[in-house]
Amino acid sequence: MTNTIQKKFKVSSTQLLYQSCPYQAITLFITGPFVDGLLTNKNVFAFKYTPQVLVFIVLSCLISISVNFSTFLVIGKTSPVTYQVLGHLKTCLVLAFGYILLHDPFSWRNILGILIAVVGMVLYSYCCSLESQQKASEALTQLSQAKESESDPLLGVETGSSLLTDGGVPIVPAWSSNKDLQA
């Protein structure tokens, strides 16, 4: 939907994000405290905010802004399917770095899930590259056919070798290359 809106209104991902952010913020400010109270049974406004907590809140906001910006950028330049593939890649990287850096235990289920995701990403990339190559070759073929069809009739009319027909009767072109010399 994002890509469609961008193309329809001819706006960049940054412009679209700028226009949608106020609505997202208002929705979050209205529903956020209510949902937080339902889930935690605590009031968000009763929490004691220390400078350290505020730093982490600001850091979280900055990370959220960059995630939103990259989302609009990726979807605007590619497609929603590519964005989903990148999301799966992110999940695989989080699991892998968790195992490497934090020494989280890996189960066979995690390994199998990562392998399936990686195989899917490779197949998706392969199919996308085949599709783009096919489109490029079709465009090249159409371009060469257009050039041939444009050049042949003009040359034929100019030399007088190609006569148009109207129901089997030849029609002589209404102009000739010597028209300017005869005037």
Side-chain angles (χ1 to χ4, degrees), residues 141-155:
T141 304
Q142 289 176 352
L143 183 62
S144 65
Q145 288 174 352
K147 283 184 179 180
E148 288 175 8
S149 66
E150 286 177 0
S151 61
D152 288 344
L154 293 178
L155 291 176

Side-chain angles (χ1 to χ4, degrees), residues 13-148:
S13 57
T14 310
Q15 292 169 326
L16 188 59
L17 184 63
Y18 178 74
Q19 294 297 320
S20 65
C21 274
Y23 300 108
Q24 294 173 1
I26 290 170
T27 304
L28 182 62
F29 283 131
I30 292 171
T31 61
F34 177 72
V35 172
D36 193 48
L38 286 175
L39 295 176
T40 62
N41 293 327
K42 295 179 182 177
N43 187 352
V44 76
F45 300 113
F47 185 78
K48 191 171 191 171
Y49 293 98
T50 64
Q52 185 179 11
V53 169
L54 291 175
V55 166
F56 280 108
I57 289 173
V58 169
L59 181 64
S60 176
C61 290
L62 292 175
I63 291 171
S64 175
I65 289 170
S66 30
V67 166
N68 282 341
F69 182 72
S70 66
T71 299
F72 278 82
L73 192 63
V74 167
I75 292 175
K77 296 293 181 187
T78 60
S79 71
V81 177
T82 303
Y83 175 71
Q84 288 298 320
V85 170
L86 287 173
H88 293 302
L89 175 64
K90 179 190 74 163
T91 303
C92 292
L93 290 174
V94 165
L95 290 172
F97 285 130
Y99 176 73
I100 293 169
L101 299 175
L102 304 175
H103 304 292
D104 282 345
F106 249 11
S107 68
W108 285 106
R109 191 173 169 187
N110 291 7
I111 294 171
L112 181 64
I114 290 174
L115 287 176
I116 290 172
V118 168
V119 167
M121 286 180 252
V122 168
L123 287 174
Y124 175 74
S125 298
Y126 177 73
C127 290
C128 283
S129 66
L130 282 179
E131 184 180 346
S132 66
Q133 288 174 354
Q134 183 181 13
K135 285 182 181 179
S137 67
E138 287 175 2
L140 185 62
T141 304
Q142 289 176 352
L143 183 62
S144 65
Q145 288 174 352
K147 283 184 179 180
E148 288 175 8

